[in-house]
Coordinates of all heavy atoms in Angstrom, one line a residue:
S32 N 1.3 -30.7 42.8 CA 0.4 -29.5 42.7 C 0.8 -28.7 41.5 O 1.9 -28.5 41.1 CB 0.4 -28.7 44.0 OG 1.7 -28.1 44.2
L33 N -0.3 -28.0 41.0 CA 0.0 -27.2 39.8 C 1.0 -26.1 40.1 O 1.9 -25.8 39.3 CB -1.4 -26.5 39.4 CG -2.3 -27.4 38.7 CD1 -3.7 -26.7 38.4 CD2 -1.8 -27.9 37.3
G34 N 0.9 -25.5 41.3 CA 1.8 -24.3 41.6 C 3.2 -24.7 41.8 O 4.1 -23.9 41.6
A35 N 3.5 -26.0 42.1 CA 4.9 -26.4 42.3 C 5.6 -27.0 41.1 O 6.8 -27.3 41.1 CB 4.9 -27.5 43.4
L36 N 4.8 -27.1 40.0 CA 5.4 -27.6 38.8 C 6.3 -26.6 38.0 O 6.1 -25.4 38.0 CB 4.3 -28.1 37.8 CG 3.4 -29.3 38.3 CD1 2.3 -29.5 37.3 CD2 4.3 -30.5 38.5
S37 N 7.3 -27.2 37.3 CA 8.2 -26.3 36.5 C 7.4 -25.8 35.3 O 6.5 -26.5 34.8 CB 9.4 -27.1 36.0 OG 10.0 -26.5 34.9
K38 N 7.7 -24.6 34.8 CA 6.9 -24.1 33.7 C 7.3 -24.9 32.4 O 6.6 -24.7 31.4 CB 7.3 -22.6 33.4 CG 8.7 -22.3 33.1 CD 9.0 -20.9 32.9 CE 10.4 -20.6 32.5 NZ 10.6 -19.1 32.3
N39 N 8.3 -25.7 32.5 CA 8.6 -26.6 31.3 C 7.6 -27.6 30.9 O 7.6 -28.1 29.8 CB 10.0 -27.3 31.5 CG 11.2 -26.4 31.4 OD1 11.3 -25.7 30.4 ND2 12.1 -26.4 32.3
V40 N 6.7 -27.9 31.9 CA 5.7 -28.9 31.6 C 4.4 -28.3 31.0 O 3.5 -29.0 30.6 CB 5.3 -29.7 32.9 CG1 6.5 -30.4 33.4 CG2 4.6 -28.8 33.9
Y41 N 4.3 -26.9 31.0 CA 3.1 -26.3 30.5 C 3.2 -25.9 29.0 O 4.3 -25.7 28.5 CB 2.8 -25.0 31.3 CG 2.6 -25.2 32.8 CD1 3.4 -24.7 33.7 CD2 1.4 -25.9 33.1 CE1 3.1 -24.9 35.1 CE2 1.2 -26.1 34.5 CZ 2.0 -25.6 35.5 OH 1.7 -25.8 36.8
R42 N 2.1 -25.9 28.3 CA 2.1 -25.5 27.0 C 2.6 -24.0 26.8 O 2.7 -23.3 27.8 CB 0.7 -25.6 26.4 CG -0.3 -24.6 27.0 CD -1.7 -24.8 26.4 NE -2.7 -23.9 27.1 CZ -2.9 -22.6 26.9 NH1 -2.2 -22.0 26.0 NH2 -3.8 -21.9 27.6
D43 N 2.9 -23.6 25.6 CA 3.4 -22.2 25.4 C 2.2 -21.2 25.6 O 1.4 -21.1 24.7 CB 3.9 -22.1 24.0 CG 4.6 -20.8 23.7 OD1 4.4 -19.9 24.5 OD2 5.2 -20.7 22.6
M44 N 2.2 -20.6 26.7 CA 1.1 -19.6 27.1 C 1.3 -18.3 26.3 O 0.3 -17.5 26.3 CB 1.2 -19.4 28.6 CG 1.0 -20.6 29.4 SD -0.7 -21.1 29.6 CE -0.5 -22.3 30.9
Q45 N 2.4 -18.0 25.7 CA 2.6 -16.7 25.1 C 2.2 -16.8 23.6 O 2.2 -15.7 23.0 CB 4.1 -16.3 25.2 CG 4.6 -16.3 26.6 CD 3.9 -15.3 27.5 OE1 3.4 -14.4 27.1 NE2 4.0 -15.6 28.8
A46 N 2.0 -17.9 23.1 CA 1.8 -18.1 21.6 C 0.4 -17.5 21.3 O -0.6 -17.9 21.8 CB 1.8 -19.5 21.2
P47 N 0.3 -16.6 20.3 CA -1.0 -16.1 19.8 C -1.8 -17.2 19.2 O -1.2 -18.2 18.7 CB -0.6 -15.0 18.8 CG 0.8 -14.6 19.1 CD 1.4 -15.9 19.6
P48 N -3.1 -17.1 19.2 CA -3.9 -18.2 18.5 C -3.6 -18.4 17.1 O -3.2 -17.4 16.4 CB -5.4 -17.6 18.7 CG -5.3 -16.6 19.8 CD -3.9 -16.0 19.7
R49 N -3.6 -19.6 16.7 CA -3.4 -20.0 15.3 C -2.0 -19.5 14.7 O -1.9 -19.2 13.5 CB -4.5 -19.5 14.4 CG -5.9 -19.8 14.9 CD -7.0 -19.0 14.2 NE -7.1 -19.4 12.8 CZ -7.9 -20.5 12.4 NH1 -8.5 -21.2 13.2 NH2 -7.9 -20.7 11.1
S50 N -1.1 -19.5 15.6 CA 0.3 -19.0 15.1 C 1.2 -20.2 15.0 O 1.0 -21.3 15.5 CB 0.8 -18.0 16.1 OG 1.1 -18.7 17.4
L51 N 2.3 -20.0 14.3 CA 3.5 -20.8 14.2 C 4.7 -20.1 14.8 O 4.7 -18.9 14.8 CB 3.8 -21.2 12.8 CG 2.6 -22.0 12.0 CD1 3.0 -22.2 10.6 CD2 2.3 -23.3 12.7
V52 N 5.7 -20.9 15.3 CA 6.8 -20.3 15.9 C 8.1 -20.7 15.3 O 8.2 -21.8 14.7 CB 6.8 -20.6 17.5 CG1 7.0 -22.1 17.7 CG2 7.9 -19.8 18.2
T53 N 9.1 -19.9 15.3 CA 10.4 -20.3 14.8 C 11.4 -19.7 15.8 O 11.2 -18.7 16.5 CB 10.7 -19.7 13.4 OG1 12.0 -20.1 13.0 CG2 10.6 -18.2 13.3
Y54 N 12.6 -20.4 15.9 CA 13.7 -20.0 16.8 C 14.9 -19.7 16.0 O 16.0 -19.8 16.5 CB 14.0 -21.1 17.8 CG 12.8 -21.3 18.8 CD1 11.8 -22.2 18.4 CD2 12.8 -20.8 20.0 CE1 10.7 -22.4 19.3 CE2 11.7 -21.0 20.9 CZ 10.7 -21.8 20.5 OH 9.6 -22.1 21.4
R55 N 14.7 -19.4 14.7 CA 15.9 -19.2 13.8 C 16.8 -18.2 14.2 O 18.0 -18.2 14.0 CB 15.4 -18.9 12.4 CG 14.8 -20.1 11.6 CD 14.3 -19.8 10.3 NE 13.0 -19.0 10.4 CZ 12.1 -19.1 9.5 NH1 12.2 -19.8 8.5 NH2 11.0 -18.3 9.6
D56 N 16.3 -17.1 14.8 CA 17.2 -16.0 15.2 C 17.4 -15.9 16.7 O 17.8 -14.9 17.3 CB 16.5 -14.6 14.8 CG 16.5 -14.6 13.2 OD1 17.4 -15.0 12.6 OD2 15.4 -14.1 12.7
G57 N 17.1 -17.0 17.4 CA 17.3 -17.1 18.9 C 16.0 -17.1 19.7 O 15.4 -18.2 19.9
P58 N 15.5 -16.0 20.1 CA 14.2 -16.0 20.8 C 13.0 -16.4 20.0 O 13.1 -16.3 18.7 CB 14.0 -14.5 21.3 CG 15.4 -13.9 21.1 CD 16.1 -14.7 20.0
P59 N 12.0 -16.9 20.6 CA 10.8 -17.3 19.8 C 10.2 -16.2 19.0 O 10.0 -15.1 19.6 CB 9.9 -17.9 20.8 CG 10.3 -17.3 22.1 CD 11.7 -17.1 22.0
E60 N 9.8 -16.4 17.7 CA 9.1 -15.4 16.9 C 7.9 -16.1 16.4 O 7.9 -17.2 15.9 CB 9.9 -14.9 15.8 CG 11.2 -14.1 16.2 CD 11.9 -13.6 14.9 OE1 12.7 -14.3 14.4 OE2 11.6 -12.5 14.5
Y61 N 6.7 -15.4 16.6 CA 5.4 -16.0 16.2 C 4.9 -15.4 14.9 O 5.0 -14.2 14.7 CB 4.4 -15.8 17.3 CG 4.8 -16.5 18.6 CD1 5.5 -15.7 19.6 CD2 4.6 -17.8 18.9 CE1 5.9 -16.3 20.8 CE2 5.0 -18.4 20.1 CZ 5.6 -17.6 21.0 OH 6.0 -18.2 22.2
F62 N 4.4 -16.3 14.0 CA 3.9 -15.8 12.7 C 2.5 -16.3 12.5 O 2.1 -17.4 13.0 CB 4.8 -16.4 11.6 CG 6.2 -15.8 11.6 CD1 7.2 -16.3 12.5 CD2 6.5 -14.8 10.7 CE1 8.5 -15.7 12.5 CE2 7.8 -14.2 10.8 CZ 8.8 -14.7 11.6
N63 N 1.7 -15.5 11.7 CA 0.4 -15.9 11.3 C 0.4 -17.1 10.4 O 1.0 -17.0 9.3 CB -0.3 -14.7 10.7 CG -1.7 -14.9 10.3 OD1 -2.0 -15.8 9.6 ND2 -2.6 -14.1 10.8
S64 N -0.2 -18.2 10.8 CA -0.1 -19.4 10.0 C -0.7 -19.3 8.7 O -0.3 -19.9 7.7 CB -0.7 -20.5 10.8 OG -2.1 -20.3 11.1
E65 N -1.8 -18.5 8.6 CA -2.5 -18.4 7.3 C -1.6 -17.7 6.2 O -1.5 -18.1 5.1 CB -3.8 -17.6 7.4 CG -4.8 -18.2 8.4 CD -5.1 -19.7 8.0 OE1 -5.2 -20.0 6.8 OE2 -5.3 -20.5 9.0
R66 N -0.8 -16.7 6.7 CA 0.1 -16.0 5.8 C 1.3 -16.9 5.4 O 1.7 -16.9 4.2 CB 0.6 -14.7 6.4 CG -0.5 -13.7 6.6 CD 0.0 -12.5 7.3 NE -1.0 -11.5 7.6 CZ -0.9 -10.4 8.3 NH1 0.3 -10.1 8.8 NH2 -1.9 -9.6 8.5
V67 N 1.8 -17.6 6.3 CA 2.9 -18.5 6.1 C 2.6 -19.6 5.2 O 3.4 -20.0 4.3 CB 3.5 -19.0 7.5 CG1 4.5 -20.1 7.3 CG2 4.1 -17.9 8.3
L68 N 1.4 -20.2 5.3 CA 1.1 -21.5 4.6 C 0.3 -21.2 3.3 O 0.0 -22.2 2.6 CB 0.3 -22.4 5.5 CG 1.1 -22.8 6.8 CD1 0.2 -23.7 7.7 CD2 2.4 -23.4 6.6
E69 N -0.2 -20.0 3.1 CA -1.0 -19.7 2.0 C -0.4 -20.2 0.6 O 0.7 -19.8 0.3 CB -1.3 -18.2 1.9 CG -2.3 -17.8 0.8 CD -2.5 -16.3 0.8 OE1 -1.9 -15.6 1.5 OE2 -3.4 -15.9 0.0
G70 N -1.2 -21.0 -0.1 CA -0.8 -21.4 -1.4 C 0.3 -22.4 -1.5 O 0.9 -22.6 -2.6
K71 N 0.7 -23.0 -0.4 CA 1.9 -23.9 -0.4 C 1.5 -25.3 0.0 O 0.5 -25.6 0.7 CB 2.9 -23.4 0.7 CG 3.4 -22.0 0.4 CD 4.4 -21.6 1.6 CE 4.9 -20.2 1.3 NZ 5.8 -19.8 2.4
H72 N 2.3 -26.3 -0.5 CA 2.3 -27.6 0.0 C 2.9 -27.5 1.4 O 3.8 -26.7 1.7 CB 3.2 -28.5 -0.9 CG 2.5 -29.1 -2.0 ND1 2.0 -28.3 -3.1 CD2 2.2 -30.4 -2.4 CE1 1.5 -29.1 -4.0 NE2 1.5 -30.3 -3.6
V73 N 2.5 -28.4 2.3 CA 3.0 -28.4 3.7 C 3.5 -29.8 4.0 O 2.8 -30.8 3.8 CB 1.9 -27.9 4.7 CG1 2.5 -28.0 6.1 CG2 1.4 -26.6 4.3
V74 N 4.8 -29.8 4.5 CA 5.3 -31.0 5.0 C 5.1 -31.0 6.5 O 5.7 -30.2 7.2 CB 6.8 -31.1 4.7 CG1 7.4 -32.4 5.4 CG2 7.0 -31.2 3.2
L75 N 4.3 -31.9 7.0 CA 4.1 -32.0 8.5 C 5.2 -33.0 9.0 O 5.2 -34.2 8.7 CB 2.7 -32.6 8.8 CG 1.5 -31.8 8.2 CD1 0.2 -32.5 8.5 CD2 1.5 -30.4 8.7
F76 N 6.1 -32.5 9.8 CA 7.2 -33.2 10.4 C 6.9 -33.6 11.8 O 6.9 -32.7 12.7 CB 8.5 -32.4 10.2 CG 9.6 -33.0 11.0 CD1 9.8 -34.4 11.1 CD2 10.6 -32.2 11.6 CE1 10.9 -34.9 11.8 CE2 11.6 -32.6 12.3 CZ 11.8 -34.0 12.4
F77 N 6.6 -34.9 12.1 CA 6.3 -35.3 13.4 C 7.6 -35.9 14.0 O 8.2 -36.8 13.4 CB 5.2 -36.4 13.4 CG 3.9 -36.0 12.9 CD1 3.6 -36.0 11.5 CD2 2.9 -35.6 13.7 CE1 2.4 -35.6 11.0 CE2 1.7 -35.2 13.3 CZ 1.4 -35.2 11.9
G78 N 7.9 -35.4 15.2 CA 9.2 -35.9 15.8 C 9.3 -35.5 17.3 O 8.3 -35.0 17.9
S79 N 10.4 -35.8 17.8 CA 10.7 -35.4 19.2 C 12.3 -35.2 19.3 O 13.0 -35.6 18.4 CB 10.2 -36.4 20.2 OG 10.9 -37.7 20.0
N80 N 12.7 -34.7 20.4 CA 14.1 -34.5 20.6 C 14.8 -35.8 21.0 O 15.1 -36.1 22.1 CB 14.4 -33.4 21.7 CG 15.8 -32.9 21.7 OD1 16.7 -33.5 21.0 ND2 16.1 -31.9 22.5
D81 N 15.0 -36.6 20.0 CA 15.6 -38.0 20.1 C 16.6 -38.2 19.0 O 16.6 -37.5 18.0 CB 14.5 -39.1 20.1 CG 13.8 -39.2 18.8 OD1 14.4 -39.8 17.9 OD2 12.7 -38.7 18.7
P82 N 17.5 -39.2 19.1 CA 18.5 -39.3 18.1 C 18.0 -39.6 16.7 O 18.6 -39.1 15.7 CB 19.3 -40.6 18.6 CG 19.1 -40.6 20.1 CD 17.7 -40.1 20.3
F83 N 16.9 -40.3 16.5 CA 16.4 -40.6 15.2 C 15.8 -39.4 14.5 O 16.1 -39.1 13.4 CB 15.3 -41.7 15.3 CG 15.8 -43.0 15.8 CD1 15.6 -43.4 17.1 CD2 16.6 -43.8 15.0 CE1 16.1 -44.6 17.6 CE2 17.1 -45.0 15.5 CZ 16.8 -45.4 16.8
S84 N 15.0 -38.6 15.3 CA 14.5 -37.4 14.7 C 15.6 -36.3 14.5 O 15.5 -35.6 13.4 CB 13.4 -36.8 15.7 OG 12.3 -37.6 15.9
N85 N 16.6 -36.3 15.3 CA 17.7 -35.4 15.1 C 18.4 -35.7 13.8 O 18.8 -34.8 13.1 CB 18.6 -35.4 16.3 CG 18.3 -34.4 17.4 OD1 18.7 -33.3 17.3 ND2 17.5 -34.8 18.4
G86 N 18.6 -37.0 13.6 CA 19.3 -37.4 12.4 C 18.5 -37.1 11.1 O 19.0 -36.6 10.1
F87 N 17.2 -37.2 11.2 CA 16.3 -37.0 10.1 C 16.3 -35.5 9.7 O 16.1 -35.1 8.6 CB 14.9 -37.5 10.3 CG 14.0 -37.4 9.1 CD1 14.3 -38.1 7.9 CD2 13.0 -36.5 9.1 CE1 13.5 -38.0 6.8 CE2 12.2 -36.3 8.0 CZ 12.4 -37.1 6.8

Side-chain angles (χ1 to χ4, degrees):
S32 63
L33 286 173
L36 295 175
S37 164
K38 66 179 182 180
N39 282 312
V40 303
Y41 296 119
R42 64 179 176 84
D43 185 349
M44 302 278 192
Q45 307 297 336
R49 306 168 71 85
S50 65
L51 299 174
V52 64
T53 179
Y54 296 83
R55 284 177 291 210
D56 297 320
E60 293 183 273
Y61 300 94
F62 292 80
N63 183 301
S64 60
E65 301 303 324
R66 294 177 184 172
V67 168
L68 304 179
E69 183 180 5
K71 297 179 181 178
H72 276 63
V73 180
V74 175
L75 304 177
F76 168 37
F77 297 85
S79 64
N80 193 352
D81 65 79
F83 298 105
S84 296
N85 270 274
F87 184 69

